[in-house]
Amino acid sequence: MATGVTTRPTWRQDWTIAVCIGLIALGVIFRFGNLNQVYWHDETFTALRMSGYTAPDVKADIFNGTLVTVDDLMYYQWPNEERTVVDTVDSLIIDDPQHPPVYYVLIRQWVAALGNSIWIARSLSVFISLLSFPAMYWFCQELFTVADTRQQFPPLQRQLTSLCTTVLLALSPFHVLYSQEAREYALWTVLILTLNAVFLRAIRHSTGLNWIFYTGLLVTSLYTHPFTGFFALGHGVYLLAVEKFRPSRQAIAGCLAIVVGLSSFIPWAWILLRNSFDTIGLSWTSVPLPFSVLLKVWGLHVVRGFFLTRGDFGFDTWQVYVGLPLALLLIAYSLYFICRHTPWRFWLFVLLLISSSCLPLILPDLILGGQRSTAGRYLVPTVIGVQIAIATVLMMQSQVKNRLSRRFWRSVTAIVLMLAIVSNFSILKAESTWPKFLSYGMPEVARIVNKSPDPLVISSSDAINFGSVFSLSHAIDLQAHFLLFDFGRVLDDSSPSELMEKFEDVFLLNPSDELRESVEKHENAKAELIFNDFHLYLWQLR
């Protein structure tokens, strides 16, 4: 631990605690502040699971070259009486086994009970995310108790550091944005924090009940997100290190709990492995990216835990190029600091939490090629570990006796908090944010289409189009029609005739060259590109 820590007067302690509680309350407000952002590509697949239908079902009924309405598409986006929760699980098994069923069962029941709306679908994640605040505080308290065997951290410092970490989580744009999505990541965050807290408590009190509780949470977390297994293995390494790699009773009990928990996932893992990556939508992970791009994305992942980056990948403003190196410097220093000035049980747990989640994604990208590590949503444990490291440094260095050093670190703390707050205010006004990268430009696409009193949108199921069509259907007016084709199909003599005479405007969303050329030939017209970003291309027949 750093030496020279000063003791604050009681009124300062109370004031600091009150400010932390106020900032956490602000984090609650931010989570409810803007649930009307674009309902993006991945969320439409959550909606498809709620309906209990599979992609082949939809392609047969909708992507078959016949005219359909927005209402026809919405039928496959909300729960209905024809399909049950069993169909939801079956659709995951058939279509999407990389997403286990716990969250999808919950959201289906939630929406079925409260009503079909984007706000209600997303509100489940928001309410669940509120549990992350007490879970983070509990986790930090347990970590200090287990790690600080020599009582180097005074109780007040433990409390303030735990509160500071909770504040960073509450105001983190990373956590705020994922708490506003109809996806499983807010639930996974709560389970990660609680699982870590229960694990550390079981180390302190190695009772059968505590290890059974840990096993149950591990199973629940695995069936929420399979990457739980990575940091569960990190738990095993940490437990063996604490027990000095001796076969003690506690080591045996803990390892048995981990093995039982991981073994429970074998049936779903078999389902996952049985399906090809092309079938379950993971083929994108093997597409290579330049190493320089990977480095930038890795940096952005952890930086977004503290302030918001704009745009698609985030390399679009001078503020990012200035702020990113400074933020990475703070992160690097924080990791160095905790390794030098905190008990080994503390820094080892933090480093295992960070590395056990990111290395299984980074190393395959470096060795085999690909972009597995570009998905920030998979790195929730890594972001949490970094937040703990930074909060520890900010609190410890803000209390040293040296006045100049103390003022510097208090200023750093204020800057970190201010950047997070400003980022969240920008989220309140945003139509779309970086996690929704595949649909980042969809609000503009919808505005263009909605200007027409009677539009037709032509698209297909190629690449990301399946989800993009549903994303657009949530944003455009009900009078719009769609003409949709399955992969590789184009307009031919059997297609509806004289489309430009029937509809005020004809648009093509992400058409393949073959589809675009067939439409131009069919209608004897030329298609003009009127909008595009990195993922979305909107053409209009002239």
Side-chain angles (χ1 to χ4, degrees):
M1 168 185 162
T3 59
V5 176
T6 185
T7 302
R8 293 183 177 183
T10 301
W11 70 270
R12 287 179 181 255
Q13 301 166 8
D14 293 342
W15 182 84
T16 301
I17 293 172
V19 169
C20 287
I21 293 174
L23 292 173
I24 292 171
L26 188 59
V28 175
I29 295 172
F30 285 141
R31 280 161 170 74
F32 284 99
N34 183 8
L35 296 182
N36 295 317
Q37 292 188 47
V38 58
Y39 202 64
W40 80 291
H41 176 279
D42 284 17
E43 288 179 298
T44 67
F45 280 91
T46 298
L48 181 61
R49 303 305 154 221
M50 283 192 283
S51 75
Y53 289 90
T54 64
D57 295 331
V58 177
K59 290 177 180 179
D61 294 344
I62 299 294
F63 288 79
N64 57 11
T66 60
L67 290 172
V68 296
T69 65
V70 173
D71 284 338
D72 293 328
L73 289 166
M74 287 299 102
Y75 181 79
Y76 298 95
Q77 292 286 281
W78 303 111
N80 58 71
E81 296 180 355
E82 293 188 8
R83 298 293 173 105
T84 67
V85 68
V86 175
D87 296 303
T88 292
V89 177
D90 285 342
S91 72
L92 289 166
I93 292 173
I94 296 169
D95 260 1
D96 226 6
Q98 81 250 30
H99 296 287
V102 168
Y103 170 78
Y104 296 90
V105 170
L106 287 176
I107 192 171
R108 177 188 166 85
Q109 301 302 93
W110 178 268
V111 172
L114 299 180
N116 299 341
S117 80
I118 293 175
W119 195 96
I120 288 174
R122 287 173 167 167
S123 69
L124 175 62
S125 293
V126 175
F127 283 113
I128 288 174
S129 74
L130 302 184
L131 299 175
S132 64
F133 304 156
M136 174 64 97
Y137 184 85
W138 180 28
F139 169 31
C140 291
Q141 289 288 290
E142 291 290 345
L143 180 56
F144 278 119
T145 304
V146 168
D148 192 20
T149 55
R150 297 183 180 180
Q151 299 297 305
Q152 294 173 271
F153 292 104
L156 174 62
Q157 192 173 64
R158 297 185 184 193
Q159 182 185 35
L160 290 177
T161 304
S162 300
L163 274 174
C164 180
T165 311
T166 306
V167 168
L168 291 182
L169 179 138
L171 297 179
S172 165
F174 179 94
H175 293 296
V176 168
L177 288 172
Y178 280 119
S179 73
Q180 295 176 331
E181 285 199 355
R183 301 292 277 172
E184 65 264 38
Y185 305 107
L187 175 60
W188 191 38
T189 300
V190 173
L191 290 170
I192 289 168
L193 296 170
T194 309
L195 185 64
N196 282 322
V198 172
F199 171 73
L200 294 168
R201 181 172 180 80
I203 289 179
R204 289 199 300 117
H205 302 289
S206 186
T207 65
L209 184 61
N210 280 336
W211 286 118
I212 290 172
F213 188 24
Y214 172 81
T215 303
L217 276 172
L218 177 56
V219 173
T220 305
S221 189
L222 282 166
Y223 277 88
T224 299
H225 201 295
F227 285 3
T228 300
F230 292 142
F231 71 85
L233 295 176
H235 285 174
V237 173
Y238 185 79
L239 178 61
L240 293 175
V242 168
E243 294 301 308
K244 300 179 180 179
F245 295 93
R246 295 177 301 187
S248 64
R249 182 176 180 180
Q250 177 165 273
I252 293 172
C255 289
L256 180 62
I258 294 171
V259 169
V260 171
L262 293 175
S263 298
S264 71
F265 193 66
I266 290 176
W268 196 269
W270 171 247
I271 293 171
L272 177 59
L273 293 173
R274 190 180 60 189
N275 291 271
S276 70
F277 279 5
D278 288 335
T279 301
I280 62 177
L282 285 177
S283 57
W284 64 270
T285 61
S286 61
V287 178
L289 286 177
F291 182 66
S292 59
V293 174
L294 288 176
L295 282 177
K296 290 180 180 179
V297 173
W298 298 341
L300 288 173
H301 284 333
V302 288
V303 167
R304 283 166 172 164
F306 303 93
F307 66 87
L308 186 67
T309 59
R310 298 171 54 198
D312 191 343
F313 284 103
F315 315 139
D316 52 358
T317 64
W318 66 265
Q319 294 94 331
V320 172
Y321 284 99
V322 173
L324 183 58
L326 295 176
L328 293 177
L329 182 62
L330 174 61
I331 292 168
Y333 175 77
S334 299
L335 296 176
Y336 164 80
F337 183 91
I338 65 170
C339 290
R340 284 291 305 272
H341 300 291
T342 64
W344 70 268
R345 289 188 176 197
F346 182 90
W347 60 257
L348 178 62
F349 193 93
V350 173
L351 292 185
L352 283 172
L353 182 61
I354 294 171
S355 60
S356 63
S357 303
C358 67
L359 289 182
L361 298 172
I362 291 175
L363 292 179
D365 283 352
L366 294 179
I367 297 170
L368 303 175
Q371 51 180 296
R372 303 158 189 84
S373 57
T374 62
R377 57 192 179 273
Y378 298 157
L379 299 175
V380 172
T382 297
V383 174
I384 291 172
V386 171
Q387 288 171 332
I388 292 172
I390 288 182
T392 302
V393 171
L394 294 179
M395 284 295 98
M396 290 177 66
Q397 294 287 62
S398 295
Q399 300 175 65
V400 295
K401 289 183 177 179
N402 184 287
R403 178 179 295 183
L404 184 61
S405 180
R406 189 168 66 245
R407 286 182 175 177
F408 171 78
W409 283 103
R410 288 177 180 175
S411 299
V412 172
T413 303
I415 292 171
V416 169
L417 295 176
M418 185 56 64
L419 285 172
I421 292 171
V422 170
S423 297
N424 280 291
F425 274 112
S426 70
I427 292 173
L428 293 178
K429 302 180 294 181
E431 293 180 313
S432 186
T433 45
W434 63 263
K436 300 168 177 56
F437 60 99
L438 291 179
S439 305
Y440 192 81
M442 193 60 76
E444 181 61 25
V445 171
R447 271 192 293 272
I448 294 171
V449 176
N450 282 336
K451 288 179 181 178
S452 172
D454 186 25
L456 171 67
V457 178
I458 301 174
S459 190
S460 65
S461 63
D462 303 23
I464 66 168
N465 290 1
F466 187 92
S468 296
V469 165
F470 279 106
S471 176
L472 178 61
S473 71
H474 282 278
I476 61 176
D477 298 333
L478 292 177
Q479 71 267 21
H481 284 74
F482 288 82
L483 182 61
L484 305 173
F485 297 89
D486 199 3
F487 178 79
R489 289 192 57 191
V490 296
L491 267 73
D492 53 28
D493 293 339
S494 64
S495 301
S497 59
E498 300 174 342
L499 297 174
M500 294 184 68
E501 295 182 10
K502 294 180 180 178
F503 297 95
E504 189 77 19
D505 295 283
V506 178
F507 301 94
L508 294 87
L509 178 64
N510 286 6
S512 64
D513 291 341
E514 293 78 12
L515 177 59
R516 178 172 54 83
E517 290 169 1
S518 72
V519 172
E520 290 176 331
K521 181 179 179 181
H522 187 276
E523 294 298 306
N524 193 25
K526 290 296 292 182
E528 177 186 351
L529 182 64
I530 59 174
F531 172 83
N532 74 278
D533 62 10
F534 194 75
H535 298 287
L536 297 175
Y537 295 81
L538 185 68
W539 300 71
Q540 184 174 8
L541 287 187
R542 298 300 191 186

